Amino acid sequence: MLTLTCPCCGVSGEETEFHAGGEAHLKRYGPGSSDNDFEGYLFMRENPKGVHFERWRHVYGCGKWFLAARCTATLEVFGTYPAQTTEPPQDIKDKITAKRPGWSWRDFA
Amino acid sequence: MSEPVSFYKGRVAKGDVTVTDAGLQGMITLRGDLSNAKVKAAVKKVAKVAVPAQRKAEVTDGRGAAWMSPDELLILVPYAEAEAAAADLSAALAGQHHLAVNVSDARAYIRVEGQGAREVLAKNAPVDLSPAAFAAKDFRRTRMGQAAAALWLDDTGAFHVVCFRSVGDYLFDLLAQSAKDGPVGVF
């Protein structure tokens, strides 16, 4: 079971107090974009074994969205950070590098 | 006008841990920028307490405030004053982005007290309720059984639980059954 810490209210809670919201850091391609970009935005998702970035909502708590970096194989959570970011903060990346050297996820590494 | 009654109409489940209807309670949802001076002043005026710190509740005799989220407070006032208090908050914050709504009748309010009250709640919520982790004035929104609830501990060792009225029966029965089953002896 995942234990997540909500960066908005500071609560460390277990998984059932939260709700998963799919992949994080999606770039939106809207009207005027190419069909390929739009298809990628709508349908193409990562499905890694290892480091993954996800959106979560503290649904039974403060109700806020946040982002989490975790390992899909071990359920280890590397860190959580505010949703108002377009890429993982450096300290989270450093923590992942310390534990999973050579990791990469989409454009991040 | 008809006489207002609390959701539980005085229901009590007696035992080592007693689960009781906490009665009519005025509750106001206040959303806005909690660091704003006008918001702070308005809360002070209506709730008679300062804006509580993160995950804290400052409640005395049914009046006070509790920290719900980074931009939301639960303001507690006597039931009869709730409508006027919500209007006061709105008037004080006019022209500013905010929301103040009287939600008294949307909520059910329970008190859990007695030796082992911590365990009765801990059986149903994924929260560390040990005395070291959860002290008086601490406030926590969480899941109890299958329903969302908020709880805080007062200075007398009694827990106050707030939930939506629609799940009120479920939550009361859940707590009453947990109290009946007796303590586990963890805390």
Side-chain angles (χ1 to χ4, degrees):
Chain A
M1 184 171 274
L2 288 172
T3 303
L4 295 160
T5 302
C6 173
C8 302
C9 67
V11 160
S12 280
E14 47 100 335
E15 198 178 321
T16 61
E17 204 170 305
F18 300 87
H19 194 278
E23 190 176 317
H25 302 301
L26 292 177
K27 185 176 179 212
R28 179 174 182 268
Y29 289 93
S33 62
S34 75
D35 284 355
N36 277 346
D37 282 346
F38 188 59
E39 185 206 15
Y41 161 62
L42 270 189
F43 300 115
M44 299 308 178
R45 295 292 181 269
E46 293 295 301
N47 184 23
K49 180 181 179 187
V51 177
H52 196 27
F53 295 87
E54 286 174 328
R55 306 166 70 218
W56 284 83
R57 183 172 177 245
H58 195 185
V59 65
Y60 281 109
C62 67
K64 304 295 181 201
W65 285 95
F66 61 92
L67 306 180
R70 69 171 181 109
C71 176
T72 57
T74 63
L75 301 191
E76 178 178 7
V77 177
F78 301 113
T80 54
Y81 50 101
Q84 292 74 23
T85 48
T86 50
E87 70 169 280
Q90 194 56 46
D91 63 314
I92 301 270
K93 287 190 194 172
D94 291 344
K95 271 184 207 162
I96 301 174
T97 305
K99 285 170 175 164
R100 303 282 189 280
W103 69 278
S104 72
W105 185 89
R106 289 201 184 241
D107 299 336
F108 309 135
Chain B
M1 210 181 110
S2 54
E3 189 72 19
V5 289
S6 73
F7 174 68
Y8 296 116
K9 299 193 179 74
R11 203 186 304 177
V12 181
K14 273 198 187 302
D16 291 342
V17 176
T18 303
V19 182
T20 35
D21 173 12
L24 283 171
Q25 172 68 55
M27 296 187 200
I28 297 161
T29 286
L30 175 68
R31 297 199 85 139
D33 178 1
L34 300 186
S35 61
N36 183 285
K38 273 174 88 175
V39 172
K40 286 181 178 172
V43 170
K44 182 85 190 162
K45 186 162 164 264
V46 171
K48 314 292 183 206
V49 294
V51 171
Q54 190 180 52
R55 299 200 311 283
K56 292 286 174 187
E58 292 284 348
V59 183
T60 325
D61 295 334
R63 187 188 290 275
W67 192 94
M68 293 284 273
S69 84
D71 59 357
E72 182 179 348
L73 291 182
L74 176 67
I75 308 282
L76 299 168
V77 293
Y79 182 84
E81 293 175 29
E83 202 60 46
D88 282 352
L89 284 168
S90 285
L93 299 173
Q96 188 168 338
H97 188 63
H98 79 284
L99 176 81
V101 184
N102 175 10
V103 294
S104 312
D105 296 324
R107 302 277 168 82
Y109 189 33
I110 306 170
R111 194 169 64 238
V112 183
E113 57 199 333
Q115 192 75 31
R118 283 178 188 275
E119 293 198 348
V120 169
L121 291 155
K123 279 183 198 178
N124 301 302
V127 179
D128 184 358
L129 287 172
S130 61
F134 203 88
K137 290 187 167 47
D138 274 349
F139 180 88
R140 181 74 146 77
R141 286 173 79 180
T142 186
R143 171 182 69 80
M144 272 206 207
Q146 301 181 47
L151 58 105
W152 71 92
L153 180 60
D154 70 16
D155 295 324
T156 67
F159 280 91
H160 300 256
V161 181
V162 174
C163 67
F164 289 116
R165 190 187 184 104
S166 55
V167 294
D169 274 327
Y170 167 77
L171 207 75
F172 193 96
D173 292 345
L174 185 75
L175 291 171
Q177 183 63 51
S178 303
K180 198 175 156 190
D181 289 344
V184 183
V186 179
F187 301 144

